[in-house]
Amino acid sequence: MAEAITKYVKVAADCMDNKKARDIRVLKVAEITTLAEYFVICTANSTTQVKAISNEIEFKLKTEHDVVPHHIEGHDSASWILLDYGFMLVHVFLEEARDFYGLEKLWKDAIPVEVEEL
């Protein structure tokens, strides 16, 4: 299952890149929380882009891998959309929201992972 998880994390990160997201980060959090094994985080330039990125990730994982999120938050405001896949939490932020919540600082003990390493 671990190999499948890293494949899905890479799909999410690649979708972010394809939709021109900025500052894409993958954090391995499995050793410090039971929330998920990975956080995949990016910044978008507009609410339209936030929605486009999250929609692309959801679409690709569902249609190509039969993987659907357990829960989605933030689609109405679109300043931060969270896709909860259980093994992975995908965070798509507007810059102001990302700065405000500071997930990288909050989870500073997480292990940064390069997308190329997945």
Side-chain angles (χ1 to χ4, degrees):
M1 181 66 175
E3 190 174 304
I5 289 172
T6 56
K7 177 173 67 173
Y8 303 145
V9 169
K10 183 160 179 23
V11 168
D14 288 346
C15 287
M16 291 172 172
D17 187 52
N18 291 341
K19 290 292 181 181
K20 309 296 184 216
R22 295 181 289 117
D23 199 14
I24 300 167
R25 302 279 172 91
V26 176
L27 301 176
K28 186 172 183 182
V29 295
E31 287 82 25
I32 58 175
T33 185
T34 59
L35 290 174
E37 292 187 38
Y38 291 92
F39 287 178
V40 186
I41 306 167
C42 74
T43 302
N45 296 314
S46 66
T47 57
T48 302
Q49 189 183 22
V50 169
K51 288 179 182 179
I53 293 166
S54 64
N55 288 343
E56 178 74 8
I57 293 165
E58 188 178 1
F59 177 79
K60 282 263 194 198
L61 286 173
K62 181 179 181 180
T63 60
E64 295 180 10
H65 304 282
D66 200 31
V67 176
V68 295
H70 299 297
H71 190 70
I72 300 172
E73 286 287 335
H75 218 279
D76 293 335
S77 73
S79 64
W80 174 15
I81 294 181
L82 168 70
L83 302 170
D84 180 354
Y85 286 93
F87 57 86
M88 159 178 78
L89 295 178
V90 177
H91 303 271
V92 184
F93 284 105
L94 283 179
E95 187 167 1
E96 304 81 43
R98 187 167 180 176
D99 290 344
F100 179 79
Y101 290 104
L103 290 186
E104 290 95 338
K105 291 177 190 166
L106 185 64
W107 296 95
K108 67 180 184 277
D109 293 335
I111 300 166
V113 177
E114 295 296 323
V115 175
E116 299 79 25
E117 295 175 12
L118 296 171

